Amino acid sequence: MTGLVGALVEAWDELRVHKLRVLLSLIGVAAAVTAITGVTAAVGMLGQAMREQTERWSGRETTLTVSAYPVTGSGDAARASEAMADVVERYSVAYASRVGWGQMAVELPGGTQILSGQVVDPAYGVIHRIEPGQGRWFAPSDADRLAPTLVVNQAFLDALAVPDVSGHPTVVLQGRQGVLAEVVGAVPDQYPGEPPTYTVLTDQVERWGLSVDPWGAGASPPALELWVPPADVPALRDRVDQDLRAALPGWQVDVTEPVGEAGVLDSASRWVIIAVSGFALLLGGLGLLNIALVTVRQRIREIGIRRSFGATSGRVFFGVLLESVVATLVAGVVGVVLAVVALDALPVDRLLGTALQDEPPFPVSAALTGLACAAGVGALAGLLPALWAVRVKVIDAIRY
Amino acid sequence: MLELTDVTRSVRLADDRVLHILTGVTLRVDAGEHVAVVGRSGTGKSTLLNILGLLDSPTGGEYLLDGASTRRLSGRRRARLRGESFGFVFQQFNLLTGRTVLENVAAPLLYARGRQFWSRNRLAAEMLERVGLGDRLEDMPDRLSGGEQQRVAIARALVRRPRVILADEPTGALDVDTGTAVMTLLDDIARESGAALVTITHDLAVAARSGRHYRLADGVLVPVTLVSPDRPGSLAEWVGDVPTLGASTDGAPAPRAVPAGGAP
């Protein structure tokens, strides 16, 4: 025990005394560890950003999309809605949303306009990671409110001649009878010149008869999105498909599962990054080896003096080796800290073009890998000087 | 405690000749004894000290430490014995650069075990207090005078409470007055701790402080008696020997030392 502690104390003392040397020799190692850790973390963030972007369009990774339509060309949309609601209840799906498109007559300051919009349930916001820039997304209680609520785009607000949603703007929707709806949230326009659009809850549309059918095409049944645990995807896909086919004879039922991680950086590119960082680490290690060899030659006398104190050759070997390992470990820790600070300071949303909803955790495994690599490089770089130090004859060393 | 019997030490040179440094040294040092060895430079004094301190091994003969042969000791065991039993004082002090005075004195305790290891800073501070440097603990050695540096070296040699102190020209780098003060301190501390003191010197005044005196010549250790510490005479009267090349020692100048018991 005292041997190990003593060797550690000795190694630390050496580093303390030769601060400048250590600092210079370890810059490469620290930089390489920063690169390994930082790049791995950045890749994780980039991957997450791409994943979230994809999920905004197509829903979370394990979202099943159910669509049903009559083969004959006409069918009871309400019956389809009911069958879908039964499925959601039967399998206790926590996040499920009907998804459809519709048109409503909206009374704007410039006159009544027929506007297209999306008709969903509150869980749609969770499934599609929607975070309105202003106000809020629908709460489950909104479905039961007497007055409808709307989440609109910026163009809708502009048409309404209100700057934002802080004043709880309202708008009259024409349905079976006119109803005053409150705008609770707003999202940015998705592209310049986007027309005014809105999202409204399915229950409210049904309650107030808000849908208009200017072309007389008839109501089409909504699709259903189910965000389910990954392990349940295959089983639920089959069961939902069977249940709906049984409940809707003569209907075409499609249950599609996600196609996999779209747009996420593949593991090959990650390995390329790690390989490049590893090479940088190796170069740092060579610099360390070079300086370690030179300084051990300068320290022959000291090694001899320590041998006169009773240092065994094993202790001398271990001490010199440990010096190198402790140094590179310290450099590794510095590298990891630098990576953390750098990633923290990075304007991720500006760089990635979007704010991350679920920021990936700091890649501890990458940090540990970086530290292990640093220690390994330290051990390799310390091996030659340590062997050399042991071969020095004590009496020659003292006289050196 | 230390017993050398017909110890020889020779080394093979690069041109394959054999250099005989010690050709038959017999010496016994008991606990608490103060012994001085004098001899001209190159006569093998340091080699003798290195053998005594287990830094080097004899080529022939027997070295008994506490009655046990040191011949078959492993490197690890030799190192441990060296750390536990011997304290070295060098001519050039050999303090560790970049370390404070306290760290220098505590350094040997890094190789100790148990309480000595864990209390190393306290023990080092106490020893520095004893050599009169209690107020210089955090100073760097290069800010001390030569005499102070040697006092640090003495504190370092004694901090593990060795049974034998091996001093190789301890006053060689000091002026006369400082050397006298340092030797007085070394003698006193060695006496206090009950450690044996083997001093190698070419300074007869330093040698005169010891209880027994030897002269190393022709690779052989000869007991001698100093005539008077006040009239030590010149070194040339004592030694004229150099290590011989080859097996023969013929032709080496005869020593002109006063043999033990033959002093006028």
Side-chain angles (χ1 to χ4, degrees), chain A residues 334-397:
Chain A
V334 170
V336 169
V337 169
L338 282 178
V340 171
V341 170
L343 287 171
D344 199 45
L346 273 180
V348 178
D349 47 349
R350 199 179 305 166
L351 286 174
L352 302 178
T354 175
L356 289 182
Q357 228 174 52
D358 294 335
E359 198 163 304
F362 187 79
V364 177
S365 60
L368 290 177
T369 306
L371 286 180
C373 289
V377 164
L380 282 175
L383 195 63
L384 275 181
L387 286 172
W388 204 81
V390 168
R391 288 181 59 192
V392 172
K393 281 189 172 178
V394 186
I395 46 176
D396 294 337

Side-chain angles (χ1 to χ4, degrees), chain B residues 39-101:
Chain B
R40 179 171 284 177
S41 296
T43 54
K45 300 190 300 294
S46 294
T47 302
L48 173 61
L49 206 70
N50 290 335
I51 288 174
L52 285 173
L54 298 174
L55 289 171
D56 198 1
S57 300
T59 313
E62 187 68 272
Y63 173 23
L64 302 179
L65 179 61
D66 292 327
S69 173
T70 60
R71 193 178 298 164
R72 293 184 187 280
L73 289 178
S74 66
R76 188 182 177 82
R77 180 75 188 131
R78 290 171 80 85
R80 190 142 284 160
L81 274 174
R82 189 160 61 234
E84 288 169 359
S85 304
F86 297 96
F88 292 85
V89 179
F90 303 99
Q91 178 179 355
Q92 295 302 330
F93 323 134
N94 283 349
L95 299 179
L96 302 176
T97 53
R99 272 80 169 178
T100 63
V101 164

Side-chain angles (χ1 to χ4, degrees), chain B:
Chain B
M1 186 166 56
L2 311 181
E3 196 171 348
L4 300 180
T5 308
D6 287 331
V7 161
T8 62
R9 180 71 176 104
S10 50
V11 293
R12 187 171 293 278
L13 301 177
D15 59 5
D16 225 25
R17 287 183 302 161
V18 176
L19 173 66
H20 296 280
I21 303 169
L22 302 177
T23 55
V25 170
T26 297
L27 172 69
R28 181 189 170 92
V29 180
D30 290 321
E33 257 195 313
H34 289 201
V35 175
V37 177
V38 293
R40 179 171 284 177
S41 296
T43 54
K45 300 190 300 294
S46 294
T47 302
L48 173 61
L49 206 70
N50 290 335
I51 288 174
L52 285 173
L54 298 174
L55 289 171
D56 198 1
S57 300
T59 313
E62 187 68 272
Y63 173 23
L64 302 179
L65 179 61
D66 292 327
S69 173
T70 60
R71 193 178 298 164
R72 293 184 187 280
L73 289 178
S74 66
R76 188 182 177 82
R77 180 75 188 131
R78 290 171 80 85
R80 190 142 284 160
L81 274 174
R82 189 160 61 234
E84 288 169 359
S85 304
F86 297 96
F88 292 85
V89 179
F90 303 99
Q91 178 179 355
Q92 295 302 330
F93 323 134
N94 283 349
L95 299 179
L96 302 176
T97 53
R99 272 80 169 178
T100 63
V101 164
L102 182 71
E103 287 167 342
N104 259 281
V105 176
L109 296 168
L110 279 174
Y111 307 97
R113 284 184 283 190
R115 182 181 284 184
Q116 273 198 331
F117 175 85
W118 297 110
S119 311
R120 58 189 181 280
N121 283 343
R122 181 179 57 78
L123 293 173
E126 285 172 7
M127 192 50 74
L128 281 164
E129 191 72 45
R130 174 65 190 88
V131 299
L133 292 173
D135 56 342
R136 310 294 297 270
L137 302 186
E138 297 305 322
D139 284 352
M140 289 294 171
D142 56 10
R143 302 202 55 167
L144 304 181
S145 67
E148 287 171 328
Q149 288 189 46
Q150 194 59 302
R151 277 149 67 191
V152 174
I154 290 170
R156 188 178 65 181
L158 285 157
V159 75
R160 285 189 74 178
R161 303 275 168 199
R163 291 182 300 149
V164 184
I165 301 165
L166 301 172
D168 189 357
E169 304 279 12
T171 61
L174 304 175
D175 61 58
V176 175
D177 291 340
T178 309
T180 304
V182 163
M183 276 313 296
T184 304
L185 178 71
L186 186 56
D187 277 335
D188 290 349
I189 291 187
R191 238 170 232 115
E192 270 175 34
S193 61
L197 174 63
V198 179
T199 308
I200 278 180
T201 181
H202 60 258
D203 184 337
L204 299 182
V206 169
R209 308 179 74 97
S210 299
R212 279 196 293 139
H213 316 101
Y214 290 87
R215 178 172 57 86
L216 190 59
D218 287 340
V220 179
L221 204 61
V222 180
V224 291
T225 303
L226 285 179
V227 176
S228 164
D230 300 328
R231 289 193 301 112
S234 71
L235 189 60
E237 289 180 77
W238 283 76
V239 291
D241 323 296
V242 291
T244 55
L245 290 175
S248 171
T249 58
D250 290 346
R256 291 189 288 138
V258 182

Side-chain angles (χ1 to χ4, degrees), chain A residues 2-378:
Chain A
T2 51
L4 179 66
V5 177
L8 276 170
V9 171
E10 211 176 311
W12 181 250
D13 276 354
E14 279 300 326
L15 299 180
R16 189 173 52 80
V17 169
H18 302 289
K19 280 191 282 284
L20 185 63
R21 164 179 79 79
V22 171
L23 198 69
L24 288 174
S25 64
L26 294 178
I27 286 173
V29 175
V33 173
T34 304
I36 287 178
T37 313
V39 167
T40 308
V43 165
M45 282 182 174
L46 187 61
Q48 179 67 15
M50 294 171 81
R51 185 178 297 116
E52 289 187 9
Q53 198 72 28
T54 305
E55 287 178 352
R56 283 194 186 101
W57 287 105
S58 57
R60 305 259 184 175
E61 275 179 37
T62 54
T63 302
L64 294 174
T65 304
V66 183
S67 60
Y69 52 92
V71 178
T72 55
S74 63
D76 188 352
R79 198 172 136 217
S81 281
E82 261 176 49
M84 287 179 179
D86 287 347
V87 164
V88 172
E89 196 179 334
R90 187 175 307 136
Y91 296 111
S92 304
V93 180
Y95 297 97
S97 172
R98 289 164 288 179
V99 183
W101 289 91
Q103 290 184 313
M104 293 193 304
V106 183
E107 288 183 17
L108 294 170
T112 301
Q113 287 188 35
I114 304 292
L115 299 179
S116 295
Q118 214 171 9
V119 185
V120 300
D121 290 325
Y124 184 86
V126 178
I127 297 172
H128 286 261
R129 295 180 174 275
I130 296 175
E131 279 188 350
Q134 297 177 44
R136 62 174 177 85
W137 179 250
F138 302 108
S141 58
D142 286 336
D144 302 325
R145 278 173 64 160
L146 200 58
T149 47
L150 296 176
V151 173
V152 302
N153 67 348
Q154 186 61 44
F156 191 106
L157 286 184
D158 294 342
L160 204 53
V162 292
D164 52 46
V165 300
S166 59
H168 305 286
T170 54
V171 62
V172 174
L173 307 177
Q174 293 179 353
R176 281 192 294 270
Q177 59 188 83
V179 60
L180 197 63
E182 182 190 348
V183 177
V184 295
V187 295
D189 292 343
Q190 291 180 11
Y191 55 90
E194 188 186 27
T197 185
Y198 60 87
T199 307
V200 66
L201 292 178
T202 311
D203 287 346
Q204 297 284 10
V205 170
E206 289 174 357
R207 181 176 303 141
W208 293 101
L210 295 174
S211 280
V212 295
D213 186 6
W215 297 288
S220 59
L224 177 67
E225 288 185 353
L226 308 169
W227 181 29
V228 297
D232 296 346
V233 169
L236 269 180
R237 181 196 57 205
D238 295 342
R239 286 184 190 169
V240 169
D241 188 57
Q242 286 167 10
D243 289 1
L244 285 179
R245 280 178 198 280
L248 301 168
W251 285 57
Q252 175 67 41
V253 175
D254 288 323
V255 182
T256 54
E257 59 180 309
V259 289
E261 283 191 22
V264 176
L265 287 183
D266 60 10
S267 60
S269 56
R270 191 168 300 189
W271 279 112
V272 168
I273 289 163
I274 288 176
V276 171
S277 305
F279 187 65
L281 190 62
L282 194 68
L283 290 182
L286 283 177
L288 180 67
L289 170 67
N290 187 20
I291 293 181
L293 271 174
V294 171
T295 48
V296 161
R297 281 170 197 272
Q298 289 171 346
R299 284 170 47 206
I300 295 174
R301 190 191 186 100
E302 182 185 318
I303 290 169
I305 295 166
R306 291 190 180 277
R307 296 294 293 272
S308 79
F309 295 159
T312 60
S313 53
R315 177 71 176 269
V316 169
F317 177 86
F318 190 54
V320 174
L321 191 69
L322 204 61
E323 225 178 278
S324 182
V325 173
V326 169
T328 48
L329 265 179
V330 170
V333 170
V334 170
V336 169
V337 169
L338 282 178
V340 171
V341 170
L343 287 171
D344 199 45
L346 273 180
V348 178
D349 47 349
R350 199 179 305 166
L351 286 174
L352 302 178
T354 175
L356 289 182
Q357 228 174 52
D358 294 335
E359 198 163 304
F362 187 79
V364 177
S365 60
L368 290 177
T369 306
L371 286 180
C373 289
V377 164

